[in-house]
Amino acid sequence: MGVSIKATLRLLSSSLIVAVSGGFKLYVAFLLVGVEPDKSSCLAFSLLVYSVYTLDRTLKCEEDIANHKRENVKRSPALLLICITLLTSALIIKDKPSPVVVALPITIGYMYTKGLTIGKRSLRLKQGLGIKNFIVAFTWAATLAIFLHPWAEILPLLLVSTFFFLKSFVNTVIYDYRDTKGDASTGLETLPIYLGEKKTTVILDVLHSIMHLGLIGIVFAGIIKFEPVIIVFSVVYGFTYIWLYANSRSVSFRDVLVDGEWTIAVLLRSLTIQLLRSASHSI
């Protein structure tokens, strides 16, 4: 089978939604700590997210091959683009916080997908019950915290990063529902496989409730800024896609709805602000 140009283009574009939303996630984090968002940092974060997720989809692991359709793609354009976006991200952030930060997620991303083999021993971060969910969530929460650190005080920074860690953890489990067949066939034990889908869904709903109650609590404590549109949207939207996708193998709009959450949230916030301004001028 020859190399498919369409398949290669699909590979190159497959991480765009999560990359754009990654930049908006940092944008929301800026808002929550009460700081005017630094747009160049948000762009650098988007490029970094793109490079890590495209690397994961380019290299692929055993369960990815089992879960998804096999396609003969040309990997060299993807690897070149990964290098370009990674370097551009490092150049954009300069000394805020430091170009070195890009090494954290890309290194963990490689260890997550391919692992490290020394002799007969192999270390792969995707192994173990709940480990891959924790690794993905921790990696992006830690990277977000490092990006935000030059502008934010330590307490709101830690609390906002914890919120995004929990949010990312929930989202990664949502994708485990879809991939149970391939994960099980390769011996990868995920929460939906180990606990069952119904129990896992209850856990996600409880976790989603706790983290948003905590977020509202620290808003009332005056530690982070009150962003009503963002918070209400996150609560309703999260419960909606947990209900929608926890027991569904359908992939229709899953990437757009789950990965695109923060893009939609920021656009909705901007629209609300514009409508309120228009209403105040008309009075």
Side-chain angles (χ1 to χ4, degrees):
M1 183 187 294
V3 173
S4 170
I5 295 177
K6 288 185 179 180
T8 302
L9 291 175
R10 276 196 295 271
L11 170 63
L12 296 177
S13 61
S14 62
S15 302
L16 287 176
I17 294 172
V18 68
V20 171
S21 197
F24 281 115
K25 179 193 291 187
L26 181 59
Y27 188 97
V28 169
F30 271 108
L31 294 175
L32 291 176
V33 298
V35 176
E36 180 67 25
D38 182 72
K39 294 180 177 60
S40 62
S41 293
C42 293
L43 174 60
F45 197 81
S46 282
L47 293 172
L48 182 55
V49 172
Y50 176 85
S51 64
V52 173
Y53 276 90
T54 303
L55 179 67
D56 176 67
R57 289 163 181 171
T58 300
L59 297 179
K60 284 195 174 183
C61 55
E62 186 180 356
E63 56 270 18
D64 289 334
I65 295 171
N67 282 318
H68 306 290
K69 182 181 177 182
R70 295 171 182 263
E71 292 183 314
N72 194 13
V73 301
K74 191 172 181 61
R75 296 201 301 174
S76 54
L79 294 174
L80 176 61
L81 191 55
I82 289 165
C83 292
I84 292 172
T85 52
L86 197 62
L87 179 60
T88 304
S89 177
L91 291 174
I92 289 173
I93 57 177
K94 295 180 181 177
D95 58 344
K96 274 196 171 185
S98 167
V100 179
V101 70
V102 303
L104 172 66
I106 200 72
T107 302
I108 294 178
Y110 181 84
M111 293 289 292
Y112 172 88
T113 305
K114 301 300 287 186
L116 178 66
T117 301
I118 303 175
K120 294 183 179 180
R121 294 186 177 183
S122 64
L123 171 65
R124 187 158 162 257
L125 299 179
K126 216 171 187 179
Q127 296 172 339
L129 180 62
I131 295 298
K132 73 169 189 173
N133 310 102
F134 178 88
I135 290 296
V136 172
F138 176 80
T139 299
W140 290 118
T143 305
L144 182 144
I146 296 171
F147 265 76
L148 199 58
H149 178 261
W151 289 273
E153 295 181 4
I154 189 65
L155 182 57
L157 174 67
L158 290 175
L159 293 173
V160 168
S161 299
T162 300
F163 168 75
F164 282 111
F165 165 78
L166 294 172
K167 189 75 172 175
S168 296
F169 185 90
V170 169
N171 289 359
T172 59
V173 176
I174 288 295
Y175 280 100
D176 287 340
Y177 285 92
R178 179 196 63 187
D179 298 334
T180 51
K181 185 177 180 180
D183 290 341
S185 69
T186 58
L188 183 63
E189 201 167 39
T190 62
L191 291 174
I193 293 173
Y194 182 77
L195 297 176
E197 296 181 1
K198 289 184 178 180
K199 287 184 180 179
T200 303
T201 301
V202 171
I203 291 173
L204 293 186
D205 282 333
V206 170
L207 187 58
H208 187 77
S209 300
I210 290 173
M211 67 184 177
H212 282 95
L213 287 173
L215 187 67
I216 293 169
I218 59 178
V219 166
F220 279 105
I223 299 173
I224 66 171
K225 186 180 177 183
F226 182 42
E227 286 288 341
V229 175
I230 296 290
I231 294 173
V232 172
F233 175 82
S234 181
V235 172
V236 176
Y237 196 80
F239 277 125
T240 300
Y241 67 64
I242 290 173
W243 170 80
L244 191 62
Y245 291 120
N247 298 296
S248 172
R249 299 296 177 270
S250 171
V251 296
S252 299
F253 302 110
R254 187 190 299 259
D255 290 352
V256 175
L257 291 178
V258 179
D259 291 336
E261 177 177 4
W262 300 115
T263 303
I264 300 170
V266 172
L267 292 176
L268 184 60
R269 176 183 181 273
S270 298
L271 178 61
T272 303
I273 292 172
Q274 289 300 320
L275 290 174
L276 291 174
R277 285 176 179 172
S278 297
S280 64
H281 289 321
S282 63
I283 296 175

